Amino acid sequence: MEPPENKRRILIAPACFKGTLSAMGVAEVLRDLLAAHLPAETVLDVCPVADGGDDTLDVLLQSDPGFREACADVTGPVPGQRVTARYLVHADKKLAVLESAQAHGYKLLPGGHLAPMAATSYGVGELLRTVLARAESRGASLEAIVVTVGGSASTDGGLGALQALGVGFWDAAGHAITEPIAGESLARIHRIEWVPDWTFPGQILIATDVINPLLGLEGAASVFAPQKGATPKQCAELEAGLQHASTLMTALCGVSYATLPGAGAAGGLAWGLRHLPRSGFISGSQWIADQLDLERRIAQANLIITGEGRLDATSLSGKATGHVLVWAAGKPVLVFCGQAEARLALPGNIHVMPLVLPGEDAGEAMANPRVALEKRLFEALPVIRACLKL
């Protein structure tokens, strides 16, 4: 329902500022300051967004009271480490949502020390097994499991996750590889046996926020491994290991998924999980937007305010912010961000409000990002009033 003519509706739909503010935290700052400085009849529709990475579970919990949270004890990103991974279940929708970073996310690395070669996705497979086992033991009916990928510490092609699900791996001497598969152990694999000891009659939907393939200059090792601490030499080793793994899996399954857009997500976890029966890729930002009824809420708004940590070309290719900008369809949009790519070309209806301008030192803003965001929003109030014709 549209607001009365004397009211204006603002949709507040930010993603997280990675490493500084959660999507909910950004939304709260925007809501509180706007409520204090705009006419009381202004409608503030608060809708934090995510794309399968940080804040996904919290965004879904806030948007739909039908979601219930549960936890499982699984292997962390480093073998021998144990972590408590959260996941969601929606009984009415017969749906479970797993955030893979809850098991192998870089934020879980002990002491924050990156482990580009030793990190594993084994815990993601354990989490999936736990969800299936619990549903079966309780007689619950699940029709779909959504596995969101992003924020991973590992580059193991998802073979660690498959190993936890029962897939067997052997080295050249015929010895079973029993320790969790990691990026550094991909080259050791000589034979793979597909023997998962579980079944799931529903769909496994792999929600990605990137379109990178598994291999090559745009692949998991070349693009994402450096972000996980890999040196150029280690990136080359990981690329060779993923190529070797792809050759073995293609021979075993008779099909190659390496070139699929999104296969390189989460260090190739998306590629590995794609080999599971009744699995497929979906856009994480699109799926979450559907759960939030975001397109309708954008259509109802007179002004949209969104944001993320860094606005650049990748924001427009599968990220939550990109969906907001596309669906705005000419409506005025303010995008708050930590920094913005200088050469990013955007339509005239989109106003970019970076916390750190080109040439400025980011240290002050990052030291207290909440205060920096409040300051920038206050400076943007004249633009907001003009957009709302106040």
Side-chain angles (χ1 to χ4, degrees):
M1 180 180 295
E2 296 288 346
E5 288 187 5
N6 65 330
K7 291 190 176 183
R8 291 293 182 265
R9 178 184 290 269
I10 301 176
L11 175 65
I12 301 172
C16 72
F17 282 32
K18 186 170 290 186
T20 55
L21 290 173
S22 69
M24 285 65 66
V26 175
E28 289 169 2
V29 170
L30 299 175
R31 178 200 63 202
D32 292 349
L33 194 142
L34 291 174
H37 289 88
L38 294 180
E41 62 269 16
T42 306
V43 178
L44 302 178
D45 181 10
V46 180
C47 179
V49 298
D51 48 31
D54 293 342
D55 293 346
T56 293
L57 300 185
D58 291 327
V59 164
L60 292 174
L61 275 172
Q62 179 172 306
S63 70
D64 187 339
F67 279 111
R68 294 290 181 267
E69 184 177 340
C71 296
D73 179 66
V74 300
T75 299
V78 178
Q81 177 190 12
R82 304 300 293 179
V83 298
T84 300
R86 303 162 58 212
Y87 66 93
L88 303 181
V89 176
H90 199 300
D92 293 339
K93 294 181 178 180
K94 299 182 178 180
L95 169 72
V97 183
L98 283 60
E99 185 181 328
S100 62
Q102 290 283 320
H104 77 146
Y106 68 92
K107 290 183 178 181
L108 301 174
L109 288 165
H113 299 298
L114 300 177
M117 304 302 288
T120 179
S121 64
Y122 192 90
V124 179
E126 289 182 312
L127 183 57
L128 184 52
R129 284 186 71 111
T130 298
V131 172
L132 292 170
R134 287 179 178 174
E136 183 177 352
S137 67
R138 295 168 184 169
S141 175
L142 289 177
E143 294 181 354
I145 297 175
V146 175
V147 183
T148 71
V149 299
S152 72
S154 60
T155 309
D156 67 356
L159 297 194
L162 294 184
Q163 182 185 27
L165 291 169
V167 175
F169 297 89
W170 284 263
D171 62 20
H175 300 135
I177 302 175
T178 56
E179 69 276 11
I181 297 291
E184 63 189 2
S185 53
L186 293 175
R188 288 180 53 205
I189 301 171
H190 181 72
R191 180 169 64 89
I192 304 175
E193 185 175 347
W194 187 265
V195 286
D197 53 359
W198 57 273
T199 58
F200 178 55
Q203 290 183 299
I204 296 177
L205 304 176
I206 306 156
T208 71
D209 62 354
V210 299
I211 57 174
N212 303 68
L214 178 69
L215 305 169
L217 294 178
E218 297 300 319
S222 297
V223 175
F224 302 118
Q227 301 171 11
K228 303 171 187 182
T231 65
K233 180 176 183 294
Q234 289 172 328
C235 287
E237 292 173 1
L238 291 168
E239 174 71 15
L242 291 172
Q243 178 64 70
H244 174 62
S246 177
T247 299
L248 292 175
M249 290 296 288
T250 299
L252 178 69
C253 301
V255 61
S256 174
Y257 298 117
T259 59
L260 288 179
L269 172 66
W271 169 78
L273 294 180
R274 182 60 184 85
H275 294 87
L276 297 176
R278 294 172 294 282
S279 65
F281 290 166
I282 59 172
S283 162
S285 54
Q286 177 69 63
W287 183 83
I288 294 169
D290 290 344
Q291 309 309 303
L292 303 177
D293 200 12
L294 185 59
E295 189 170 6
R296 177 189 62 80
R297 293 163 80 166
I298 289 174
Q300 289 184 338
N302 301 102
L303 169 67
I304 298 101
I305 300 181
T306 186
E308 61 179 23
R310 176 174 170 79
L311 186 72
D312 56 27
T314 67
S315 306
L316 309 178
S317 60
K319 299 282 177 108
T321 307
H323 278 290
V324 173
L325 298 183
V326 169
W327 286 336
K331 291 189 175 186
V333 182
L334 269 67
V335 184
F336 289 89
C337 55
Q339 293 179 312
E341 184 179 317
R343 299 182 181 181
L344 193 63
L346 294 170
N349 63 303
I350 299 173
H351 307 270
V352 180
M353 303 288 177
L355 275 58
V356 181
L357 297 174
E360 288 185 346
D361 182 6
E364 183 178 352
M366 293 304 98
N368 198 331
R370 182 178 291 270
V371 171
L373 177 58
E374 290 174 344
K375 177 182 176 182
R376 195 72 177 99
L377 178 58
F378 187 80
E379 295 170 347
L381 283 174
V383 177
I384 293 172
R385 292 192 179 99
C387 291
L388 294 174
K389 298 181 172 60
L390 295 175

